[in-house]
């Protein structure tokens, strides 16, 4: 393995008992895994043994209880808060990245900057922040909003939020702390910088009360696919998790995002695009299909319909014939990119509502691959080599079995092809992803002034 | 050891490299310990081996950089965020409680309720929340406030914040989760409760997206000693950390607080009062004194003066003669109880400014005991038996040595006297502190309705 050859990056997207909506009913699934640390520790170790770049947690800050009859048949109503969970997982892992989703709409930038810096110190430089603006009304109602702030306002706040967080992460120069017992000087006051941010949404003086962290800045991840989301990602993201159904879609997105980088002075390699993939792995095609069908059979119809409603922006589809086509969707305030995705998928394949919910129940808009290790590796290789992806976010159908299938069967195949590492390149998430460590802005400024 | 005999409760107050302002310069101190997980893991294990009830982290959300020359000579400017740190420590400990300070002024109740519930699940029922309202202007400036909200408003918000958090912790009944793979029912919708809180400061719909935690509610801790703080504690706290200099002061406070409980229908045993104590332990009195003097000698004068200013509510004392008396302090918006404490101490003992800063540099307003294991045990026993305290919050002068001195020399002496456990009574922090597990309000209500 050479460090110079471009290789696939892999993230393990971890969702309670698995990504499939009926995963918790799988015979091998630990149904209570969503609140069992031992379950997550096992899963994280499987991913680390397979040399995954990172584990990744999505998040939401509400129970989506609009359809209780359906919700009560899923394992989606309760789970660990991701930052507390990842802090604990940092202790039982050594190399793998730890990415948590936290919303800019329901948090304060000082608190967020501090927690991710703290996790970066705890883990020796393995933390990452998935910046989301949150898209559901039910979340807003837990945070004293009368209604969910609209898409444009959320992105405006997110942009400023990011600036504050990144500014706080540069509060201290890397070599600010001398800790010289003899002289009694703990830090060099010249290397401490006050932010004094005064913007439309935030006034934050700083400095952050955590030393600059091993990665300088924790890795910044994003998932928004709307135009506002893409632009924010082009400016600020280092990893994008995204959902695509076809290589063509993926290539279009890839070209679009990479094309936006130069105007921000950014290099194409410094933003890794990692679409989600939902792999069902079998030693034969038949075995893979059997595994998948067994999961699909566990979906209660009310769960399928409700999932579809949620993903189309809280639209109630129960009045439409389940074996008829997806109706025209009204414009909502929810996640715009998900709506478009569903629309495109149903139109392209002429799906009924039932077809559609069965389709998304597993992958939920992401690419679903049911096949052999070779077949799955072929597809990943194609997407990777034909510039649809820099890597993939593996959404295991059920846990831990679905992930260990991928780790034990697909990863070795990728390694044989020279497409994936056999040892970690470095100690930090940045080193493994091949991302530069940001230079502190104040040091940069000083050098520029000295040079000028 | 009998469960029926009242015994002393012990908390280990952990502050970077130790509670003494010059601790980091101690020859045995790990100067970079404040951001070193291994340091905290070692310290937590020392406390757990000695059967402490809990470790405890104070917190603030700013760098107090008004006097950089002084601050840069201390280890107080950077440290871990307590919830991420405690989540990691939950993995390397089995029995000890994990208490983090989080402010009600700079957080949202949904986020806080969730994080502590998450930590309670991670740790198998060992989490505790120290509710503070935050008292420094520098913190407010990091959270888009023009000035720090005043004391009364902070307490009003805190009271409502607590109600929301406690309400969210009762979102799910204890037996709500069936996780029945056969029937496909994950939870019983009848056992999920929406909060629908609409108050002056918060509108929070709920429910919380975390199952009810092992302790039902994480243990609620408070430290405010003003009248508003005492009243809030009498209504809501289960542990009070407080600073006293004399037994008489402690007894007055103890009687006052316990006397406020009946009007809220609370039992005196269900609120544990644990004053801070700063112990310097030597095998002889001379050894203890030598250890203390060595630490005091490491205090730079600018550090001492600045500490005093901070503790008196950001008042600048540098224009007053350092060997003269403490001047009358103006009323400020800072922590009222700390100001009064300093005043009382200086007046009682006729201290100069220098005397006072040397005095508080170690214990910072808490009781300072420099002595032998027997002498220290005598004092703890007296405070405990004469109803000045239910336990103590041990503020080790330096870490880990100061804590291991106490653990290895004082704890065995307390155990010989039957005043302290030799084994943990239970698995949760509540069980060890002897606090009842709160019944879910909805279950309580249902039972009352059934009975009526």
């Amino acid at each position: 393995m050479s460090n110079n050859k471009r290789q696939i990056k892999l993230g393990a997207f971890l969702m309670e008992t698995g990504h499939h909506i009926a995963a918790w009913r799988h015979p091998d699934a630990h149904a209570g895994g969503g609140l069992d640390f031992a379950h997550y520790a096992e899963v994280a170790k499987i991913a680390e043994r397979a040399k995954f770049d990172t584990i990744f947690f999505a998040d939401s800050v509400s129970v989506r209880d609009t359809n209780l009859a359906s919700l009560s048949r899923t394992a989606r109503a309760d789970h660990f808060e991701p930052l507390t969970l990842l802090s604990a997982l940092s202790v039982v892992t050594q190399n793998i990245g730890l990415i948590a989703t936290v919303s800019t709409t329901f948090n304060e930038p000082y608190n967020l900057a501090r927690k991710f810096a703290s996790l970066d110190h705890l883990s020796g430089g393995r933390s990452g922040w998935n910046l989301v603006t949150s898209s559901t009304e039910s979340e807003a109602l837990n945070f004293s909003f009368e209604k969910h702030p609209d898409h444009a306002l959320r992105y405006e706040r997110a942009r400023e939020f990011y600036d504050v967080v990144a500014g706080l992460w540069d509060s201290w120069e890397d070599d600010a702390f001398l800790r010289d017992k003899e002289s009694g000087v703990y830090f060099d006051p010249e290397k401490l910088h006050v932010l004094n941010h005064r913007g439309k949404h935030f006034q934050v003086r700083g400095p952050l009360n955590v030393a600059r962290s091993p990665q300088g800045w924790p890795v910044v991840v994003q998932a928004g696919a709307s135009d506002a989301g893409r632009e924010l990602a082009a400016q600020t993201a280092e990893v994008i998790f995204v959902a695509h159904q076809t290589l063509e879609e993926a290539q279009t997105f890839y070209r679009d995002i990479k094309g936006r980088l130069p105007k921000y002075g950014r290099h194409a390699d410094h933003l890794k695009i990692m679409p989600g993939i939902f792999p069902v792995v079998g030693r034969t095609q038949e075995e893979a299909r059997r595994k998948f069908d067994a999961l699909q059979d566990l979906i209660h119809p009310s769960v399928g319909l409700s999932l579809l409603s949620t993903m189309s922006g809280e639209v109630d589809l129960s009045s439409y014939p389940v074996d008829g086509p997806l109706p025209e969707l009204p414009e909502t305030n929810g996640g715009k990119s998900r709506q478009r995705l569903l629309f495109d998928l149903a139109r392209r394949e002429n799906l009924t509502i039932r077809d559609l919910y069965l389709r998304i129940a597993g992958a939920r808009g992401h690419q679903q691959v049911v096949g052999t290790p070779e077949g799955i590796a072929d597809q990943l290789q194609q997407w990777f080599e034909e510039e649809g992806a820099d890597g993939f976010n593996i959404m295991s159908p059920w846990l831990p079995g679905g992930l260990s299938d991928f780790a034990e069967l697909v990863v070795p195949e990728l390694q044989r092809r020279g497409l994936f590492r056999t040892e970690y390149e470095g100690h930090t998430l940045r080193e493994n992803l091949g991302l530069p460590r940001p230079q502190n802005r104040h040091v940069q400024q000083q050098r520029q002034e000295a040079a000028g």
Side-chain angles (χ1 to χ4, degrees), chain A:
Chain A
M1 189 209 68
S2 147
N3 276 330
N4 299 321
K5 191 184 165 207
R6 183 171 168 257
Q7 288 190 313
I8 288 174
K9 304 301 173 190
L10 288 179
F13 183 96
L14 302 181
M15 207 166 179
E16 296 98 26
T17 50
H19 203 259
H20 191 279
I21 192 75
W24 72 272
R25 297 183 70 188
H26 189 283
D28 299 341
H30 170 25
L35 278 174
D36 181 351
F37 176 68
H39 166 72
Y40 284 106
E42 180 185 358
V43 165
K45 286 175 186 174
I46 291 170
E48 187 167 74
R49 273 197 302 271
K51 317 295 179 200
F52 272 61
D53 292 82
T54 186
I55 55 178
F56 173 86
F57 287 95
D59 196 38
S60 72
V61 277
S62 69
V63 175
R64 297 189 190 180
D65 59 353
T66 44
N67 184 339
L68 262 183
S70 150
L71 183 72
S72 66
R73 293 179 165 277
T74 74
R76 300 288 191 251
D78 79 318
H79 44 89
F80 281 117
E81 187 280 328
L83 270 169
T84 44
L85 175 56
L86 283 172
S87 300
L89 288 174
S90 77
V91 178
V92 297
T93 53
Q94 284 75 48
N95 292 287
I96 200 161
L98 308 165
I99 300 178
T101 299
V102 183
S103 172
T104 54
T105 304
F106 307 124
N107 286 279
E108 289 285 337
Y110 196 93
N111 288 336
L112 184 139
R114 189 174 176 224
K115 281 174 199 289
F116 279 96
S118 191
L119 177 59
D120 209 46
H121 282 284
L122 278 172
S123 63
R126 297 187 281 133
S127 82
W129 168 35
N130 180 34
L131 181 167
V132 300
T133 69
S134 302
S135 62
T136 66
E137 185 85 4
S138 63
E139 296 177 277
L141 299 181
N142 289 330
F143 292 87
S144 301
F145 287 92
E146 286 300 322
K147 60 184 275 300
H148 198 54
D150 73 29
H151 191 268
L153 186 65
R154 294 204 310 270
Y155 271 88
E156 184 187 90
R157 178 181 159 110
R159 184 69 187 80
E160 188 180 332
F161 194 112
Y162 169 86
D163 284 342
V164 176
V165 167
L168 289 170
W169 283 336
D170 279 351
S171 295
W172 301 88
E173 295 178 27
D174 288 312
D175 56 354
F177 290 90
L178 309 169
R179 301 190 180 104
D180 181 0
K181 287 185 182 183
E182 195 52 46
S183 69
V185 177
Y186 192 80
F187 68 82
D188 177 354
E190 299 289 316
K191 296 186 173 177
L192 171 63
H193 303 278
V194 174
L195 180 63
N196 269 331
H197 174 89
R198 302 192 71 82
K200 181 175 168 190
H201 296 274
F202 305 106
Q203 293 82 49
V204 179
R205 182 178 178 274
L208 195 65
N209 58 354
V210 183
R212 201 160 193 263
S213 74
Q215 294 191 103
W217 303 357
V219 172
V220 175
V221 181
Q222 279 167 53
S226 68
D227 191 68
R230 291 177 190 211
E231 204 57 30
L232 182 63
Q235 288 177 65
T236 63
E238 301 173 280
V239 174
I240 298 184
F241 284 150
V242 63
H244 295 308
Q245 286 289 330
T246 66
L247 173 56
E248 197 189 345
E249 237 179 75
Q251 286 168 327
T252 304
F253 180 86
Y254 191 97
R255 273 194 305 274
D256 176 74
I257 292 286
K258 301 264 175 170
R260 293 176 194 238
L261 297 179
K263 70 170 176 265
Y264 299 112
R266 301 187 63 197
H267 191 286
D269 288 347
H270 297 166
L271 199 175
K272 306 297 178 188
I273 298 178
M274 298 172 70
I277 180 171
F278 174 89
V280 184
V281 191
R283 284 166 203 276
T284 63
Q285 186 66 36
E286 291 65 39
E287 189 192 51
R289 175 52 58 182
R290 270 201 310 278
K291 285 183 179 179
F292 183 57
D293 289 345
L295 270 170
Q296 293 287 82
D297 286 347
L298 295 171
I299 303 175
H300 192 278
S302 77
V303 172
L305 268 177
S306 170
L307 182 66
L308 199 51
S309 293
T310 305
M311 291 197 61
S312 58
E314 310 289 356
V315 179
D316 183 8
L317 292 167
S318 59
S319 61
Y320 298 95
V322 72
D323 290 312
L326 189 71
E328 286 295 313
L329 292 172
E331 184 82 7
T332 74
N333 192 20
K336 296 194 177 189
S337 46
R338 278 180 156 188
Q339 275 175 39
R340 203 182 47 233
L341 204 74
L342 285 177
F343 241 100
D344 291 353
L345 172 64
R347 204 171 41 217
R348 190 170 57 246
E349 305 194 13
N350 198 24
L351 301 180
T352 64
I353 291 178
R354 188 195 304 272
D355 290 339
L356 189 61
Y357 85 60
L358 275 175
R359 177 71 65 88
I360 64 169
R364 287 183 297 130
H366 294 269
Q367 200 206 3
Q368 180 171 293
V369 198
V370 180
T372 61
E374 297 73 25
I376 294 174
D378 285 348
Q379 182 150 344
L380 299 186
Q381 181 165 8
Q382 187 190 16
W383 282 47
F384 175 67
E385 291 181 345
E386 297 180 11
E387 301 206 325
D390 297 311
F392 301 91
N393 202 16
I394 305 305
M395 300 169 140
S396 300
W398 75 99
L399 293 171
L403 181 62
S404 51
D405 280 356
F406 189 91
E408 289 162 20
L409 299 171
V410 182
V411 165
E413 179 61 28
L414 294 173
Q415 289 168 330
R416 267 190 294 277
R417 300 181 188 190
L419 291 167
F420 190 62
R421 70 168 66 83
T422 52
E423 288 302 333
Y424 284 103
E425 292 86 1
H427 295 291
T428 70
L429 177 56
R430 286 187 177 281
E431 286 166 354
N432 290 318
L433 286 174
L435 296 170
R437 187 177 187 278
Q439 195 175 39
N440 188 305
R441 67 192 62 191
H442 304 288
V443 175
Q444 214 164 19
Q445 202 177 4
Q446 285 154 21
R447 289 198 186 148
Q448 277 161 5
E449 283 166 9

